[in-house]
Amino acid sequence: MHKASRVLAQGADFVLLGPERTMLTAAVPVLSVCAVRTGCGKSGVTEYIWEFLNRQGIKAVVIRHPMPYCDLSRMRVERFATMEDLDRYLCTVEEREEYEHLVAKGIVVYAGVDYEAILREAEKEGQVILWDGGNNDFPFIKPDLEIVVLDPHRSGHESRYHPGETNFLRAQILVANKVDSARKEDVEVLKRSVRTHNPRAAFIQTASRIRVEKGDQIRGKRVLVIEDGPTVTHGEMRYGAGFLAAQQYGAAECVDPRPYAAGSLRIIFANYPHLEKVLPAEGYFPQQLNDLETTIRQVPCDWVLVATPIDLSRLIKIDQPSLRVSYRVEDWEGPKLSDSIKGFLRQKNLID
């Protein structure tokens, strides 16, 4: 609020427009999936819901929060249905991390900058719209059901950051993801926070199952872990799914990439000193991709574990043997998210 103070000191107004003033209204049912911080596993929850809707015979399309990193004039309405679409729109690594894993499952994703036009196109294609939120923002489209994802690895953050706290307080369903890898005491802290700040919300726990095909090959080996960039940079996580996978599959060591960082990656490590054992997948511009490729090549390791949601080998050359880490949201003990979605569909007369 420092900028707000400067504005007010000059006698001008500083206004935060609320959801009711900014949300568009859709002609079809809308479920929103937002989060309190980046890296909570929100997109995995979106996948879970889309797959459930698909099993019910309901066609859903995803509208993604904007990622305006390029030429806005060509980003008015973007529709991603194939990997070639990602290339055609010149998507950055960060955009691909949000779109590619959905497209790979056959999910159509809309994004861009003109959300009135985006919404009207999506309505033609889907019986249900899934809003996949980003930057911890609240939805641009008025949801009929608001689902917000929490991270027990960062208990307390749900009330510490704006606008994630807004999502936390508005949510009708709060999903504590990654409970399978979190400490029980941290999950309990999260439960108390929910009871204190949003007791009317349904509280559901999910696991984020980590898998590495042929992961036994890294047992006893030195690995370089590449993580989803936003999660471990401004998301403030010291590690992500890649580091947990290295532990799970018995790697001997996660090599510190900092001494081998090239170009812009040196700046990244300087700006985020909490990063010690993982390399963030950064690629906002071509030179940064080159820096990422150079950094990977310079790290002395037996294997590279790629835990970003994208196929990084489509963008850069990785000289060392590499394995991809995948993670999937699954039901945990207690109430099931699928049961809540089923109840919503019945309310909307979409299923019997």
Side-chain angles (χ1 to χ4, degrees), residues 2 15 30 38 99 115 142 180 272 294 328 337:
H2 296 303
V15 179
V30 177
T38 188
Y99 308 148
Y115 274 79
K142 188 174 181 61
D180 55 319
Y272 300 99
T294 300
R328 178 180 176 83
L337 180 56

Side-chain angles (χ1 to χ4, degrees), residues 70-286:
C70 301
D71 179 3
L72 300 187
S73 64
R74 63 172 176 78
M75 293 180 66
R76 180 172 174 268
V77 177
E78 297 174 316
R79 180 182 182 274
F80 301 96
T82 67
M83 295 300 174
E84 289 71 28
D85 291 332
L86 300 172
D87 297 332
R88 182 162 58 90
Y89 284 108
L90 304 176
C91 289
T92 64
V93 166
E94 286 67 26
E95 289 171 296
R96 289 172 183 270
E97 285 176 337
E98 303 301 337
Y99 308 148
E100 185 175 306
H101 66 103
L102 298 173
V103 171
K105 289 183 176 291
I107 302 173
V108 172
V109 181
Y110 280 89
V113 292
D114 186 342
Y115 274 79
E116 178 78 42
I118 290 166
L119 174 58
R120 299 312 160 210
E121 289 301 314
E123 287 171 337
K124 299 174 186 176
E125 194 166 355
Q127 294 171 273
V128 170
I129 287 172
L130 280 174
W131 171 265
D132 188 33
N135 295 334
N136 316 313
D137 208 349
F138 44 78
F140 290 10
I141 299 163
K142 188 174 181 61
D144 299 288
L145 182 63
E146 288 191 63
I147 300 164
V148 173
V149 186
L150 312 174
D151 187 353
H153 290 269
R154 290 172 285 179
S155 295
H157 285 211
E158 65 281 353
S159 298
R160 202 177 299 166
Y161 293 86
H162 178 79
E165 185 180 21
T166 301
N167 289 330
F168 178 50
L169 298 175
R170 285 181 57 90
Q172 294 159 276
I173 297 176
L174 288 165
V175 177
N177 192 28
K178 309 187 213 173
V179 294
D180 55 319
S181 59
R183 300 186 308 171
K184 289 184 179 179
E185 53 266 40
D186 290 331
V187 177
E188 289 303 316
V189 169
L190 203 53
K191 288 180 180 178
R192 289 196 296 272
S193 179
V194 171
R195 288 195 296 268
T196 300
H197 299 291
N198 189 354
R200 65 178 177 77
F203 182 76
I204 293 172
Q205 299 178 82
T206 57
S208 184
R209 298 296 190 189
I210 296 171
R211 294 182 177 85
V212 181
E213 189 174 351
K214 300 180 180 179
D216 57 306
Q217 295 181 90
I218 69 169
R219 184 171 300 280
K221 303 296 185 181
R222 302 175 75 232
V223 300
L224 168 64
V225 174
I226 302 175
E227 300 281 20
D228 169 71
T231 298
V232 296
T233 53
H234 56 268
E236 298 179 300
M237 286 284 285
R238 299 173 69 88
Y239 58 86
F243 184 82
L244 293 175
Q247 293 182 321
Q248 180 177 317
Y249 287 91
E253 178 189 356
C254 292
V255 180
D256 183 351
R258 292 175 296 178
Y260 312 99
S264 60
L265 270 298
R266 294 196 199 101
I267 299 172
I268 294 291
F269 282 116
N271 290 339
Y272 300 99
H274 65 278
L275 297 178
E276 298 174 349
K277 295 294 185 181
V278 301
L279 175 64
E282 298 289 329
Y284 285 93
F285 48 89

Side-chain angles (χ1 to χ4, degrees), residues 9 24-25 51 54 57 59 107 129 182 194 222 247 249 269 281 290 293 324 336 344:
L24 300 167
T25 302
E51 289 174 349
N54 192 49
K59 185 174 183 182
I107 302 173
I129 287 172
V194 171
R222 302 175 75 232
Q247 293 182 321
Y249 287 91
F269 282 116
N290 292 337
E293 181 177 296
R324 290 188 66 185
K336 304 290 189 288
F344 169 79

